[in-house]
């Protein structure tokens, strides 16, 4: 009878009693089911075609094997385009018979301060050549970046902004590449120096190694000069704070699994073409000992005109160097740091990252033109700062007429300034950067990489960033 009562009571248990009795089991089952239901509810229904379309928007059709990048270097002396192709390991892949497409033209964007549309259209032929080497199906996925350097930075008013906007509009309308507004910009001088350092160390296979195994870089452009080299962590911690409005001295970069403390500084107004103006300012209306005798004229730079007449005594390397040192402000600016280069700028502390120095751009050009580099077809050469001093002495002791036959490889427009250019390059290295006149440095135009020569310029560093 008692068993029957229990059985009857169990048959009449309420739903709530059952739930209460088995609540633990129900919770274990219901929570995952609720989560799955929620996910399915919030996810939109997608067909396989939709998924593939999404992938195609994000990646190129051949994403796993090749990626392209197009970089315009809009410098003060001209515009250049670089096209690079990378494999999945970020190693360069050949484009035809070369590891990059490189084309250039003159003048640069800064030569059109009052005609932004003409400035943008000046890139048309370079764009056409870039598109010719990138497969049609890859173009929509290929980034195109334009980095304007010191020449555009020095234009007055809203001219730089108008030119950049015209270039953005031009690329949107004429280009089949992937263009973005923030990829067309005036390149920060320190960023330019950092990209240059990445480029050269990448090509030399130095990235991923200890900072002491990397090389330092000095890049002499038309409007600015950059120095960049890796420093130790202890030196990085000693870095002074930059003045208000200036970029910090040290950038942390992570490359191939290695952290680098990169000292980098860009000196605006001290590229080779801009420095001519600074040197002429020192003597103002009087004759300048850096101008070859026999030249009478003026020098135009950055929208200003400077008198460019020789001293009554002709040109002299010694007198010219005195003027250059004043233009560099080697002794004229108080150095508030442990050690300075020129103009009161911290020198980074030196160290192993600076011992092996690669020097590029106008340093290489002038050295090749006057015979410091013996082989005119060479891409790399070992020289010393004193070699620039010797070449300067030779040039400064020559009048304009004799210089035409003595230096036949110098462009006629540059010939009157040859004494000035060579003296400046010597003084910049020795008086400005404090490099021993007898120290060997490497002049570099191109770097050998996988049995090919690649232009040693900042755009490769920018391309690596764009496709990473």
């Amino acid at each position: 009878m008692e068993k029957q009562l229990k059985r009857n009571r169990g048959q009449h248990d309420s739903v709530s009693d059952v739930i209460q009795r088995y609540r633990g089991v129900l919770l274990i089952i219901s929570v995952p089911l609720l989560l799955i239901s929620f996910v399915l509810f919030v996810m939109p229904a997608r067909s396989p075609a939709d998924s593939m379309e999404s992938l195609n928007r994000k990646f190129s059709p051949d994403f796993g094997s090749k990626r392209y990048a197009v970089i315009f270097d809009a410098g003060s002396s001209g515009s250049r385009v670089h096209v690079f192709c990378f494999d999945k390991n970020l190693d360069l892949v050949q484009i035809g018979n070369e590891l990059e497409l490189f084309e250039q033209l003159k003048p640069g964007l800064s030569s059109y301060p009052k005609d932004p549309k003409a400035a943008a259209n000046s890139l048309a032929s370079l764009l056409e050549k870039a598109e010719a080497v990138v497969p049609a199906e890859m173009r929509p996925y290929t980034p195109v970046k334009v980095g304007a350097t010191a020449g555009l930075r020095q234009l007055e008013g809203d001219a730089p902004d108008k030119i950049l906007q015209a270039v953005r509009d031009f690329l949107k309308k004429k280009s089949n590449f992937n263009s973005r507004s923030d990829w067309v910009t005036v390149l920060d001088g320190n960023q330019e120096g950092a990209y240059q350092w990445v480029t050269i160390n990448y090509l030399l296979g130095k990235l991923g190694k200890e900072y002491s195994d990397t090389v330092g870089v000095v890049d002499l452009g038309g409007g600015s000069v950059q120095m960049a080299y890796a420093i130790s962590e202890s030196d990085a911690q000693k870095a002074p704070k930059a003045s208000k409005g200036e970029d910090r001295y040290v950038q942390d970069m992570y490359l191939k699994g290695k952290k680098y403390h990169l000292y980098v500084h860009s000196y605006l107004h001290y590229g080779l073409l801009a420095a001519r103006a600074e040197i002429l300012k020192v003597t103002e209306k009087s004759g300048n000992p850096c101008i070859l005798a026999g030249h009478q004229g003026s020098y135009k730079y950055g929208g200003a005109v400077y008198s460019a007449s020789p001293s009554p005594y002709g040109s002299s390397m010694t007198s010219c160097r005195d003027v250059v040192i004043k233009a560099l402000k080697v002794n004229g600016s108080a150095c508030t740091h442990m050690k300075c280069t020129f103009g009161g700028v911290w020198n980074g502390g030196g160290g192993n990252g600076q011992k092996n120095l690669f020097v590029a751009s106008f340093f290489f050009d002038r050295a090749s033109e006057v015979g410091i580099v013996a082989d005119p077809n060479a891409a790399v050469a070992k020289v010393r700062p004193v070699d620039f001093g010797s070449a300067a002495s030779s040039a400064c002791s020559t009048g304009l007429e004799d210089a035409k036959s003595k230096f036949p490889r110098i462009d006629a427009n540059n010939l009157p300034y040859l004494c000035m250019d060579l003296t400046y390059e010597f003084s910049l290295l020795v008086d400005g950067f404090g490099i021993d006149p007898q120290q060997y440095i490497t002049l570099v135009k191109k770097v050998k990489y996988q049995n090919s020569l690649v232009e040693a310029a900042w755009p490769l560093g920018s391309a690596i960033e764009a496709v990473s």
Side-chain angles (χ1 to χ4, degrees):
M1 186 68 179
E2 183 178 348
K3 290 180 179 179
Q4 182 67 32
L5 287 172
K6 286 181 178 179
R7 188 163 52 250
N8 291 341
R9 193 183 303 120
Q11 289 172 352
H12 293 88
D13 280 349
S14 68
V15 174
S16 61
D17 292 335
V18 174
I19 292 173
Q20 184 68 21
R21 186 178 305 132
Y22 297 104
R23 65 184 181 277
V25 176
L26 289 171
L27 279 172
I28 292 173
I29 296 171
S30 62
V31 170
L33 288 173
L34 285 170
L35 287 172
I36 292 170
S37 300
F38 177 74
V39 171
L40 291 173
F41 175 75
V42 298
M43 283 182 64
R46 302 183 67 181
S47 67
D50 291 333
S51 300
M52 186 58 67
E53 182 182 352
S54 175
L55 285 173
N56 284 338
R57 282 198 301 268
K58 187 174 182 181
F59 302 119
S60 68
D62 199 20
F63 183 78
S65 58
K66 289 183 180 179
R67 282 169 285 179
Y68 289 85
V70 177
I71 311 294
F72 282 90
D73 173 5
S76 56
S77 58
S79 296
R80 310 159 192 94
V81 67
H82 301 252
V83 182
F84 303 100
C85 183
F86 300 90
D87 65 14
K88 62 182 178 181
N89 297 317
L90 277 187
D91 290 327
L92 284 173
V93 178
Q94 282 193 333
I95 300 175
N97 296 323
E98 304 292 337
L99 279 178
E100 69 169 327
L101 169 77
F102 172 71
E103 298 285 348
Q104 59 183 332
L105 56 77
K106 295 181 180 181
L109 297 182
S110 57
S111 297
Y112 304 90
K114 297 181 180 179
D115 195 345
K117 190 173 182 179
N121 288 337
S122 72
L123 303 177
S125 63
L126 297 180
L127 177 64
E128 184 179 339
K129 291 175 181 177
E131 292 198 331
V133 299
V134 178
E137 67 274 14
M138 298 288 288
R139 291 171 195 161
Y141 313 95
T142 296
V144 56
K145 299 176 70 176
V146 179
T149 53
L152 208 61
R153 285 199 292 266
Q154 294 187 111
L155 291 184
E156 297 179 352
D158 60 357
D161 292 333
K162 287 185 175 180
I163 290 175
L164 291 177
Q165 188 56 52
V167 172
R168 295 184 188 108
D169 295 340
F170 167 79
L171 290 176
K172 289 289 185 184
K173 184 178 179 181
K174 300 291 186 179
S175 169
N176 292 310
F177 295 129
N178 178 18
S179 64
R180 285 178 17 188
S181 292
D182 59 340
W183 285 349
V184 179
T185 182
V186 174
L187 199 66
D188 173 82
N190 282 17
Q191 192 176 19
E192 183 181 347
Y195 282 154
Q196 179 82 344
W197 183 87
V198 172
T199 292
I200 291 179
N201 282 279
Y202 169 89
L203 293 172
L204 293 172
K206 301 289 187 181
L207 297 185
K209 297 182 178 181
E210 294 298 320
Y211 88 93
S212 55
D213 293 322
T214 62
V215 304
V217 174
V218 177
D219 183 31
L220 180 61
S224 62
V225 59
Q226 286 73 233
M227 171 174 272
Y229 64 94
I231 62 176
S232 67
E233 185 171 359
S234 60
D235 279 339
Q237 291 174 349
K238 298 173 186 175
K241 290 185 177 179
S243 303
K244 187 177 181 180
E246 291 185 351
D247 296 310
R248 55 196 175 93
Y249 285 110
V250 180
Q251 298 182 21
D252 290 338
M253 304 188 76
Y254 296 86
L255 300 161
K256 290 204 170 183
K258 195 76 176 176
K259 180 180 180 181
Y260 294 99
H261 304 286
L262 188 65
Y263 165 81
V264 56
H265 190 80
S266 178
Y267 301 80
L268 188 61
H269 307 302
Y270 289 102
L272 188 69
L273 304 183
R276 289 178 181 175
E278 298 301 314
I279 293 166
L280 291 171
K281 284 179 188 177
V282 174
T283 55
E284 295 183 353
K285 299 293 183 180
S286 62
N288 190 293
C290 301
I291 300 294
L292 293 188
H295 175 75
Q296 293 291 334
S298 58
Y299 179 67
K300 298 178 181 179
Y301 185 80
V305 180
Y306 306 89
S307 174
S309 299
S311 164
Y313 306 102
S315 54
S316 159
M317 194 270 189
T318 302
S319 300
C320 182
R321 185 180 179 187
D322 291 339
V323 174
V324 168
I325 288 174
K326 290 179 181 178
L328 285 171
K329 301 180 177 67
V330 173
N331 303 313
S333 297
C335 180
T336 59
H337 313 308
M338 294 163 283
K339 190 175 180 182
C340 292
T341 52
F342 58 94
V345 174
W346 182 53
N347 77 339
N352 290 332
Q354 193 190 28
K355 284 185 176 179
N356 194 358
L357 202 60
F358 276 57
V359 181
S361 299
F362 271 120
F363 275 114
F364 188 96
D365 295 342
R366 287 292 177 272
S368 178
E369 290 164 349
V370 301
I372 296 175
V373 177
D375 181 1
N377 298 315
V380 177
K382 287 278 188 181
V383 302
R384 301 164 300 167
V386 71
D387 296 329
F388 284 94
S390 298
S393 294
S394 177
C396 294
S397 62
T398 308
L400 184 61
E401 284 303 315
D402 291 337
K404 291 177 182 178
S405 57
K406 189 173 182 179
F407 303 102
R409 300 186 63 211
I410 298 291
D411 183 271
N413 293 324
N414 293 322
L415 197 58
Y417 308 99
L418 185 58
C419 168
M420 179 186 291
D421 290 351
L422 291 169
T423 303
Y424 175 68
E425 290 180 333
F426 170 76
S427 189
L428 177 63
L429 292 171
V430 175
D431 303 308
F433 292 133
I435 298 170
D436 189 304
Q438 300 295 333
Q439 176 183 330
Y440 276 97
I441 58 178
T442 303
L443 289 177
V444 57
K445 185 173 183 64
K446 294 185 178 182
V447 178
K448 191 173 183 179
Y449 177 91
Q450 296 180 1
N451 297 317
S452 295
L453 292 173
V454 180
E455 194 79 14
W458 65 262
L460 177 55
S462 178
I464 291 170
E465 179 188 61
V467 300
S468 294

